[in-house]
Amino acid sequence: MGTVFKNKRQPAFFYLFTFFVFQLLLSCGSPSDRFRLEGKFKNLNQGDFYIYSLEDGSKDTIHVQDGRFVYDIAMHDTTTLMLLFPNYSELPIFARPGAEVEMKGDASHLKETEVKGTEENEEMTGFRLRANQLMPPEVVKAAEEHIKEEPASPVSFYLMQRYFILNQQPDYAKADELCKLMLEATPNDIRLKRLQAELQQLKAGTNMKRVPSFSAKDTKGNNITNSDLQKEVNVIYVWASWNYDSQNTGRQLRRKQKENPSRLAIMSICLDPSPKQGQPTLDRDSITWSNVCDGQMWNTPLLKKLGIATLPANIISDKSGKVLARNLSGVELSKKLDELLK
């Protein structure tokens, strides 16, 4: 009887052990359709970080408690997320389904934050930490060297956009050169092929002397054209609810328009994925001028026609449509408007 009893219980124990091992394996690692980001920060008790996607503009809030947070979301394709800290500094996160990424940092030294867990995030961390020791012109040069050394890396795609396209002073010619190099390494990359075609338009737009003829619907359903910009000074600017510098530009322009209602005309182009997303910002800042938002974000046809690929971005023109300045910083924009409206 003893021997029979032992043989009967052995399979049951085996199945029970297998079940627990299986559950343990499930608890380790993210499911293949989710992405997990875990953070630990010194000198930070609680607060909120904002995170948004560079691909579709969707945004979310991350709550930090006792210096820690866990951000777990469903994900079906690779994407680049941008983490926005309370001081408005940004940190790219390369996310893909099934990946787990860990961040460690100090709230008093956010530039030194380390991101680990995947090869591309560790590659980006290495570049950032090196860049912290360089002057701005040297960072651009380092980005170019990194792209040439790792042309197939998603980090290189980000660096090319960050330093040669989405820059206050974009270098479309260099971006085109680097794009061709990256396409040689990844000839089937659809994003690069699309970007290469767009760069041709952007290069042409940079050299335009006059605001081109255009027609678009604003968020109120009104048709707006270049003919609506015929005051003494006219400004077209680009903004998004997930970019605070561009929102500051909107508030700055609102003050200028209140001071010069009959001499200054303004229209804006919003990069949000839907008009509803940006409306609270317009309401909060009492902005009533025409705002174009078709939900296509960087694929908005009007952006390409104007040769714009930066955020924030702006074009200043006179009443005849002659372009007077492009892509000025906040301080430069204010000074230029004061000069033109004095």
Side-chain angles (χ1 to χ4, degrees):
M1 292 290 295
T3 302
V4 173
F5 179 72
K6 183 178 180 181
N7 289 339
K8 286 183 178 180
R9 290 193 60 186
Q10 193 171 20
F13 172 78
F14 174 78
Y15 292 134
L16 185 62
F17 174 79
T18 302
F19 172 79
F20 281 119
V21 169
F22 179 71
Q23 292 298 313
L24 181 62
L25 289 173
L26 284 179
S27 66
C28 298
S30 293
S32 60
D33 62 347
R34 302 193 69 81
F35 170 73
R36 179 183 175 91
L37 174 64
E38 184 174 348
K40 300 177 184 178
F41 284 86
K42 297 178 181 178
N43 299 314
L44 176 64
N45 184 23
Q46 61 182 11
D48 289 333
F49 294 160
Y50 296 98
I51 192 166
Y52 64 90
S53 168
L54 290 182
E55 270 74 26
D56 62 18
S58 58
K59 62 179 181 177
D60 206 347
T61 302
I62 295 178
H63 302 288
V64 182
Q65 186 68 39
D66 297 325
R68 296 171 177 264
F69 72 81
V70 173
Y71 182 64
D72 188 291
I73 57 170
M75 184 169 291
H76 304 289
D77 200 359
T78 58
T79 188
T80 303
L81 303 175
M82 192 63 75
L83 191 68
L84 182 66
F85 292 120
N87 67 350
Y88 300 138
S89 61
E90 295 180 323
L91 184 69
I93 305 293
F94 298 92
R96 50 184 166 82
E100 287 190 356
V101 173
E102 182 180 11
M103 298 180 63
K104 288 185 179 180
D106 188 324
S108 59
H109 300 90
L110 290 174
K111 286 186 176 181
E112 299 174 8
T113 301
E114 294 189 7
V115 185
K116 298 182 178 181
T118 63
E119 182 178 345
E120 54 268 32
N121 281 293
E122 292 170 9
E123 179 184 339
M124 186 67 217
T125 294
F127 178 85
R128 282 192 301 102
L129 296 180
R130 292 194 304 275
N132 289 343
Q133 312 301 318
L134 304 175
M135 298 295 290
E138 296 175 321
V139 175
V140 176
K141 184 178 180 181
E144 181 180 353
E145 292 174 352
H146 187 97
I147 294 168
K148 290 180 177 179
E149 291 174 1
E150 302 288 344
S153 169
V155 173
S156 293
F157 185 87
Y158 167 78
L159 294 177
M160 191 257 289
Q161 288 188 301
R162 166 65 180 81
Y163 291 103
F164 300 99
I165 299 178
L166 305 178
N167 198 347
Q168 203 68 43
Q169 298 297 328
D171 188 343
Y172 298 139
K174 177 61 68 174
D176 190 30
E177 174 190 322
L178 295 172
C179 188
K180 291 175 181 176
L181 179 67
M182 295 169 70
L183 270 171
E184 290 177 5
T186 55
N188 297 320
D189 192 319
I190 297 176
R191 293 184 307 169
L192 282 170
K193 290 180 178 179
R194 184 169 61 241
L195 181 59
Q196 188 178 43
E198 292 173 356
L199 281 168
Q200 307 310 312
Q201 292 179 291
L202 292 171
K203 285 193 292 184
T206 302
N207 298 320
M208 71 182 184
K209 305 299 182 183
R210 306 181 66 82
V211 175
S213 298
F214 67 83
S215 177
K217 290 284 186 182
D218 68 12
T219 52
K220 298 176 183 177
N222 300 317
N223 195 54
I224 180 170
T225 72
N226 54 297
S227 299
D228 295 305
L229 301 173
Q230 292 186 338
K231 290 192 176 181
E232 188 175 340
V233 180
N234 308 275
V235 179
I236 301 173
Y237 84 100
V238 182
W239 71 284
S241 65
W242 36 270
N243 183 277
Y244 290 90
D245 285 343
S246 66
Q247 291 179 49
N248 288 334
T249 297
R251 289 188 284 270
Q252 177 180 318
L253 289 171
R254 178 72 184 101
R255 289 191 294 269
K256 296 293 184 185
Q257 191 183 54
K258 287 184 68 176
E259 297 168 0
N260 304 273
S262 63
R263 302 174 64 199
L264 177 60
I266 302 170
M267 68 162 285
S268 56
I269 304 172
C270 179
L271 294 185
D272 285 350
S274 75
K276 292 182 179 179
Q277 189 166 313
Q279 191 59 45
T281 299
L282 298 176
D283 295 339
R284 180 198 65 201
D285 295 334
S286 301
I287 290 174
T288 58
W289 54 64
S290 292
N291 178 62
V292 175
C293 182
D294 61 9
Q296 297 186 59
M297 302 180 66
W298 286 113
N299 293 318
T300 297
L302 184 54
L303 288 181
K304 296 181 175 61
K305 194 159 194 176
L306 296 171
I308 293 175
T310 60
L311 184 66
N314 50 74
I315 297 175
I316 304 176
S317 62
D318 64 12
K319 60 183 178 182
S320 69
K322 179 183 178 182
V323 174
L324 304 176
R326 291 178 64 99
N327 297 336
L328 301 181
S329 67
V331 174
E332 293 171 335
L333 178 62
S334 182
K335 289 176 63 177
K336 186 65 176 180
L337 292 178
D338 287 342
E339 173 190 322
L340 295 171
L341 295 167
K342 67 181 179 181

